[in-house]
Amino acid sequence: LASKVLNEDNMQIPLKPGRKYTVSIEGNIGCGKTTLLEYFKASKVVEAIKEPVDQWTNVQGHNALQLLYQDPSRWSFSFNIYAQLTRVQMHTRPHAKPVKMLERSLFSTRHCFVENDYRNETINGLEYAILNEWFEYLTAMPGTGVDLIVYLRADPKVCYERIMKRSRKEEAGVPYKLIDDLHNLHEDWLVEQNCGKLPAPVLVLDANNEYAQMTQIYEEKRSEILCGVS
Ligand code: DGT
């Protein structure tokens, strides 16, 4: 019998010796995804692939992230379609180590950001349809699946405080409403499971804590986060 890892939702990931795993780290802006990736980067079994914010702030000389926040109705479609491209690049990068850890995925672009933009009318019906057709096409391709989703679940107020504290210049004008809306969309997608079948089991971690406590949680959950690879 293959050994199993049970996560908090009591879902199971089959363990096979030598198998390679892809783990997607999800959660609101400011929930601590980068910190988790930095923490596990030190492990020799983990390849951590951070979200390419640098790439988004310099698309052949254009700061797409800044434009997105300056004028969302004009730039959300461009930003999301570019984010989708950079996410496919992350998903399809060949495994260099047994566990490939991704900061977000094609799935969060679709279920959180694109959904939010459509509900707020910063993308229109045609743009939404185009992004969704791309999403369906790309996620049906080999190499874009994930084996586990780690959801860093934090109170939107905590996320907002962290965003203000780190003061990334592009995010200076991020309204609290965006963080609250994105929180609800993550909850809808990963906890309520209202967006259809999830691509993988979800491990929910309480991300409201400060760094020292978070690293303790990472250690306690290490085996589950790494799909049993050690
Ligand atoms: P962390 O480490 O948990 O604090 O996470 P961040 O804030 O470094 O990373 P993330 O993914 O929450 O967001 C980086 C910025 O890019 C943030 O202003 C939101 C934006 N963003 C990320 N992914 C997407 C996307 O797929 N679509 C749109 N419209 N914006 C996105």
Side-chain angles (χ1 to χ4, degrees), residues 15-27:
L15 276 182
K16 287 198 204 112
R19 185 182 180 304
K20 297 203 174 5
Y21 295 90
T22 302
V23 178
S24 157
I25 312 301
E26 305 286 356

Side-chain angles (χ1 to χ4, degrees), residues 25-36 51 53 56 65 68-69 75-77 79-81 83-84 87 103-106 108-110 112-114 117 152 159 162-163 166 168 170-171 174 178 182 186:
I25 312 301
E26 305 286 356
N28 210 339
I29 306 172
C31 71
K33 296 179 293 297
T34 309
T35 312
L36 185 149
E51 200 168 53
V53 176
W56 298 343
L65 189 64
L68 171 75
Y69 285 119
W75 296 110
S76 285
F77 177 74
F79 189 90
N80 281 309
I81 207 148
Q84 220 169 27
R87 295 213 195 281
E103 182 173 4
R104 292 197 187 278
S105 61
L106 281 168
S108 35
T109 291
R110 165 66 186 90
C112 302
F113 291 98
V114 171
D117 286 330
L152 292 176
C159 294
R162 289 180 187 158
I163 296 165
R166 80 176 171 205
R168 205 181 254 157
E170 290 82 1
E171 292 172 349
V174 167
L178 172 67
L182 286 174
H186 277 87

Side-chain angles (χ1 to χ4, degrees), residues 15 28 69 75 80 100 104 112 116-117 131 153 158 173 175 192-193 209 223-224 229:
L15 276 182
N28 210 339
Y69 285 119
W75 296 110
N80 281 309
K100 191 164 81 171
R104 292 197 187 278
C112 302
N116 187 53
D117 286 330
L131 286 161
R153 188 186 203 187
V158 171
E192 305 300 328
Q193 306 190 6
N209 302 296
S223 170
E224 286 160 80
V229 177

